[in-house]
Amino acid sequence: MVGQQIESSQESYMLRQVVRRRLNLWALILTVPCTSIGAIMVLLVAPGRIGQTLLVIGQIWLLAVPIVWLVWVDHQPFKIPRPKPRDWRVGAIVGLMMFFTILIFYGLFARHWIDGVNVLSKSQQVVEINQQSFLLSSIYFVLINSLIEEYVWRWFIYRRCEELVPKRVAVLLAAFFFTLHHTIGLTFYVEGQMVVFGTVAVFIAGVIWSECYRRYRSIWSCYLSHAMADLAISMATWQILFS
């Protein structure tokens, strides 16, 4: 009798694990392709108002799915943990390393590889751009979009990967997913070695941020370093577009 109960308990546990794995797989299916589809639409298929609208819809979807999943599937309350001093220290150290690496790489190599006139022309195909609009969009990407990406790609998608594969593999898998839509954007705006180097750089950044989340279970260090990296990219892009 006891043996049957143990066997039944084991079968019940295995069944719950199978169901949970399938749910996590569906979570990835519902979120990971969204940014790549949005990038393809806004850059290649329907640049302009239609593409921008679809991109915004995709962003809203990415914001909503993790919260709905947390409440309805994981049955947990949505709460925002307070950052710890350690989060800011780690974020500042990693962010400064990324900030200076990006600017040094741009100064030594990327500025010679990128055709600024071509980048500006392609940017105008997507949305009207000038110095004022670029500054506003840069503020958004540095302060807000970097937080959204950490919320989606580390807090939600990395944790789903962690449920499916070992943690070290999850770090690489989440970074790979994070890289996909960035590669699409790079392919549209630049060419050749810049696409390769940019893709590798984004993947490495994704690995670093996923590893930070794996260790500290907080997005705040990732957010600060991500914002500093985006600030460096915005400064380099300003030089490309308007110098």
Side-chain angles (χ1 to χ4, degrees):
M1 185 69 176
V2 174
Q4 290 179 342
Q5 290 178 341
I6 293 174
E7 184 177 347
S8 175
S9 176
Q10 290 175 339
E11 290 177 353
S12 177
Y13 173 78
M14 292 177 63
L15 180 60
R16 289 197 301 271
Q17 290 298 103
V18 169
V19 170
R20 183 154 188 86
R21 286 178 64 86
R22 289 180 178 176
L23 286 172
N24 282 295
L25 185 59
W26 271 108
L28 295 178
I29 292 172
L30 289 171
T31 52
V32 170
C34 187
T35 48
S36 294
I37 293 171
I40 291 170
M41 292 301 298
V42 76
L43 297 176
L44 302 173
V45 177
R49 184 173 299 176
I50 294 176
Q52 293 290 339
T53 301
L54 293 173
L55 188 65
V56 170
I57 293 172
Q59 287 291 93
I60 294 172
W61 175 263
L62 280 178
L63 285 171
V65 168
I67 296 175
V68 171
W69 200 271
L70 182 73
V71 175
W72 287 4
V73 178
D74 291 340
H75 304 292
Q76 296 178 9
F78 179 74
K79 58 181 180 180
I80 302 174
R82 293 182 178 180
K84 301 175 181 178
R86 178 197 60 197
D87 297 330
W88 298 132
R89 288 197 302 270
V90 172
I93 293 169
V94 174
L96 284 171
M97 292 174 61
M98 289 184 170
F99 180 86
F100 287 112
T101 298
I102 290 167
L103 291 183
I104 291 170
F105 178 80
Y106 169 75
L108 293 178
F109 303 105
R111 68 188 183 93
H112 303 296
W113 296 347
I114 299 173
D115 183 348
V117 174
N118 185 51
V119 173
L120 181 59
S121 175
K122 289 186 175 181
S123 299
Q124 298 287 11
Q125 295 174 25
V126 178
V127 61
E128 185 177 347
I129 187 170
N130 53 46
Q131 292 184 350
Q132 183 178 3
S133 65
F134 180 82
L135 283 173
L136 291 174
S137 66
S138 294
I139 292 171
Y140 166 79
F141 275 98
V142 170
L143 297 180
I144 299 175
N145 189 71
S146 57
L147 179 59
I148 292 173
E149 288 200 328
E150 291 310 314
Y151 155 78
V152 172
W153 295 101
R154 256 57 70 179
W155 179 77
F156 185 70
I157 290 177
Y158 167 75
R159 293 201 304 170
R160 305 283 74 79
C161 293
E162 198 177 58
E163 295 275 351
L164 295 170
V165 296
K167 291 182 179 181
R168 297 288 187 180
V169 180
V171 166
L172 300 176
L173 185 60
F176 171 74
F177 290 151
F178 174 70
T179 305
L180 293 176
H181 68 283
H182 290 91
T183 300
I184 294 171
L186 284 166
T187 304
F188 178 77
Y189 285 108
V190 295
E191 299 175 349
Q193 65 263 46
M194 194 61 229
V195 175
V196 176
F197 276 91
T199 296
V200 172
V202 171
F203 178 76
I204 292 173
V207 168
I208 292 171
W209 291 325
S210 293
E211 179 64 18
C212 282
Y213 186 83
R214 184 190 73 81
R215 291 189 182 190
Y216 305 119
R217 302 319 263 193
S218 170
I219 67 168
W220 296 112
S221 60
C222 305
Y223 167 55
L224 178 57
S225 53
H226 196 151
M228 294 173 73
D230 281 354
L231 176 60
I233 292 170
S234 294
M235 292 168 64
T237 305
W238 176 277
Q239 292 294 318
I240 293 168
L241 295 176
F242 304 117
S243 64

